[in-house]
Amino acid sequence: MLNSRTMTLLIAALSVVVLAAGCGGDDDTDTTSAAGNSSAGAESGSSPAGDVQSGNGQSGDSSTASLSREEFIAQAGAACAKESKNLLTEINSYFVSRQSKGLPEKALIAKTIKATLGPVVEAEIAAIRQLDAPVEDKDQIEAMLSAQEAGLERMKKLKQASDLGDAEDLFDDATRMLEAYGLEGCTAGL
């Protein structure tokens, strides 16, 4: 039963996705509060995640200054975790719902990767770009995001894949850069 074996491999690989999504940027114990009661969000009365979403750069002492590297990592990690939260379910649902359509297995895996992982990576890139990156790291962060975009372009050309590892290979450069910076949870959702 090759299809059930492939599904098992997909589910196993995606379990790693769920674990990895929570890895990036949670070294700072001040940013663990979901309610925004951390010291980072206490100044403005809003949560760091709220600031990520709003993109407000209104005149206030802390809202116009760039984030520290630790704050940036925490907020980017939270944004990536949010975007990849349901990825396992989406991949499984997409794959299972199209399994009976007669597509060759490797083509179906490639199509599943493009339809589910692609939008997550795009959303992560957009969320990170909304953050006010540390001034001294802006070039490095832009290089990481450009590497992610290059991986997305390669993904769009993917015609066949044996498993999710094939998708990881497309993002090797970006993954190395993101991990070196401390954004393990933003590595192509994997």
Side-chain angles (χ1 to χ4, degrees), residues 126-145:
I128 292 171
R129 280 210 169 106
Q130 286 182 341
L131 296 173
D132 194 8
V135 173
E136 65 276 5
D137 293 348
K138 285 190 184 220
D139 289 341
Q140 183 181 6
I141 292 165
E142 188 53 40
M144 291 185 286
L145 298 178

Side-chain angles (χ1 to χ4, degrees), residues 113-114 117 147-148 150-158 164-175 188:
I113 289 168
K114 290 190 282 189
L117 182 59
Q148 284 284 73
L152 281 170
E153 289 304 312
R154 288 187 295 271
M155 180 188 291
K156 289 176 184 175
K157 297 173 185 168
L158 190 64
L164 291 176
D166 291 348
E168 289 176 340
D169 295 345
L170 300 171
F171 294 92
D172 280 347
D173 293 338
T175 297

Side-chain angles (χ1 to χ4, degrees), residues 4-21 84 87-89 91-92 109 112-113 117 162-168 187-190:
S4 64
R5 180 175 177 253
T6 300
M7 180 55 70
T8 301
L9 288 173
L10 281 171
I11 290 171
L14 290 172
S15 296
V16 173
V17 171
V18 173
L19 293 173
S84 64
L87 185 60
L88 175 63
T89 303
I91 289 175
N92 185 43
I109 293 170
T112 301
I113 289 168
L117 182 59
S162 299
D163 55 38
L164 291 176
D166 291 348
E168 289 176 340
T187 56
L190 300 174

